[in-house]
Amino acid sequence: MDEYIGQEHLVGKSGVFRKFFETGNVPSFILWGPPGVGKTTLARIVATQLERPFFTLSAVTSGVKEVREVIESARKQQFFDRKPPFLFIDEIHRFNKSQQDSLLGAVEQGVVTLIGATTENPSFEVISPLLSRCQVYILKALEDADLQTLLDRALATDAELKERQVEVQETGALFRFAGGDARRLLNILDIVVGATDGKVVISDRHVTDCLQQNIALYDKNGEQHYDVISAFIKSVRGSDPNAAIYYLARMLAGGEEPRFIARRLVILASEDIGLANPNALLLANACFDTVHKIGMPEARITLAETTIYLATSPKSNSAYMAINKALAQVERDTTNRPVPLHLRNAPTKLMSGAGYGKGYKYAHDFEGHFADLEFLPEGLCGTKFYCPDVQNAAEAKIAERIAQLWKGKYE
C-alpha cells in the first residue's frame, strides 16, 4: 500500500483502506473512477495484505454460469470463522440485471466479499439491491505529481528504460496527453521510446510528434459523455455561445456521434426556446437532416451554426411547462371526464339524436374566425395550462391575443 500512487483520500494514513488492514473487516465495495487510476491494483493490494483468496471475473467475458461457478468455489472454502474470499469483478457496469442478481445471495450471506470496479456511475449501472449492500469509493484522475512519481519510478526500475538513457526535459505534453491515466502515461512513454533510436529525449514537441494527434479526454461511452453533453445543453440554454461551441468541439474531437448532438439540439429547440422563436425548431430539424445526409467532417459546420443560433435565441419553456402541467392533470384526474357533447362528431342519426355535435360553432363562420365556445370538459372550465412568457416579444403577442379573444377567461 505504501507504494500505491494516488488516491490519498483512500489510502493515506487516515484513509479507510488503512483501517481495513487494522481491523480485517472489509465490506463489499465498488471502486468508481476513470480508467487507469488503480482500481484493480487497489483491489489486489487489499486481498494480498489481508491474505485472503482473490477470485476475478471480467464482466465482458463472464456470464451467470461463470458467476455461479466462482461462488460455489468460494462456498467450498467456508469453514469455522475464516473470512470470506474476495470476488473482484472488473467493469461490473457491463453485467446485466440477471448477472447482477446472481451475485445477491452470495454477497448477502457473506459467501464472498464483492469488489466491483467501474468507470460508470454505479447509481445508474448497478441494481439497487446490490448497490445497497456495497460501499462506493470514488477514485480520482491522477494529478501531475502522481504522474511524475509514476514516471520517475518507471525510469528508475524498468530495465529497458535504464538502458536507453532517457532524459526528461519537459513533461507538459506527456502529462496532458495522459490525462490523469497511469496506463495511458506508460503507453505513451512506450510509444515515444519505441519511436526513437539511441538516447531518448522527452520534450513537449517530441511527444506531440510521436503521438501525431491529440488524445481527446472524452469518453463517448463513459460518464464524461453525460457530463459534457449536459454542459453543452446548459450552455445553449444559458445563452452562452462561446461555452456551447467549446463543449461542441470537445464532443466532436472525442468522436461523439454527430446525430446524437443534432437530436439533442432538436429537443432543446422545443424545450428551451419554443414559442419565443419557432424558427429555432425548424433550423434544428434542418440541422439533423443535414448532419444525417452529409456526415463528418462537414457536419461540424452545420452543428456549429445551429448551436450558435440556438444559444443566442430568446428562450421560453412555456410549451414544455404546459404539456407537463396538462399531463399531471390527466394522471391525477381519475374521473375520465367526458368530452362535451357539442365537440363530438355525429356520423349516425342515433348519435345526432343523442345530442352529439349540437351547439357546435364553426369558428370560420364568425368574425375574426373565432367563436366563444367551451372546449374543456365539465369541471375544468377556465383551467390554465399554457402561460405565455411575456418577457419575449413573440409570446407577448400571443398573450395579448388570448386575452383579447377570451376576455379574461384564462387570466
Side-chain angles (χ1 to χ4, degrees), residues 145-370:
D146 300 322
L147 295 176
Q148 184 67 59
T149 301
L150 182 65
L151 176 63
D152 293 341
R153 181 183 296 175
L155 295 177
T157 60
D158 186 88
E160 182 176 348
L161 291 178
K162 286 194 290 185
E163 288 181 5
R164 294 297 300 275
Q165 297 180 320
V166 179
E167 178 186 345
V168 181
Q169 292 183 347
E170 297 171 305
T171 58
L174 191 64
F175 292 170
R176 185 173 69 255
F177 289 138
D181 184 329
R183 190 181 304 114
R184 185 183 290 178
L185 174 68
L186 295 176
N187 286 341
I188 294 172
L189 185 60
D190 190 44
I191 291 171
V192 171
V193 171
T196 309
D197 294 325
K199 182 179 178 179
V200 181
V201 177
I202 295 179
S203 64
D204 291 349
R205 176 178 290 277
H206 184 51
V207 169
T208 302
D209 289 345
C210 288
L211 294 181
Q212 293 184 338
Q213 61 180 356
N214 194 337
I215 302 174
L217 299 180
Y218 177 84
D219 178 7
K220 65 180 178 179
N221 297 314
E223 190 189 7
Q224 282 207 45
H225 164 86
Y226 300 102
D227 290 344
V228 176
I229 191 64
S230 175
F232 172 68
I233 293 299
K234 289 172 181 174
S235 298
V236 178
R237 180 184 297 140
S239 299
D240 187 338
N242 295 298
I245 281 292
Y246 165 74
Y247 289 116
L248 174 64
R250 282 273 298 271
M251 290 187 288
L252 293 177
E256 182 61 83
E257 170 58 59
R259 285 174 295 183
F260 168 77
I261 303 172
R263 279 195 297 271
R264 295 306 300 263
L265 289 173
V266 172
I267 296 167
L268 184 143
S270 294
E271 179 179 340
D272 295 302
I273 296 173
L275 294 164
N277 179 10
N279 286 331
L281 179 58
L282 299 178
L283 184 64
N285 195 54
C287 171
F288 181 82
D289 289 341
T290 303
V291 168
H292 184 73
K293 289 174 183 174
I294 67 175
M296 288 291 286
E298 290 82 1
R300 76 191 191 283
I301 308 168
T302 308
L303 287 169
E305 176 187 352
T306 307
T307 295
I308 294 170
Y309 182 85
L310 298 187
T312 55
S313 173
K315 306 295 190 296
S316 171
N317 68 344
S318 60
Y320 170 77
M321 298 297 289
I323 187 59
N324 285 349
K325 189 174 180 181
L327 285 170
Q329 171 68 42
V330 170
E331 288 173 3
R332 69 172 180 266
D333 194 347
T334 58
T335 60
N336 194 21
R337 301 175 189 272
V339 172
L341 286 175
H342 60 270
L343 296 182
R344 304 186 196 183
N345 286 329
T348 68
K349 287 184 179 180
L350 178 63
M351 297 169 77
S352 179
Y356 282 34
K358 186 177 181 180
Y360 173 67
K361 300 175 181 177
Y362 186 57
H364 299 295
D365 289 340
F366 295 83
E367 184 180 353
H369 304 275
F370 173 78

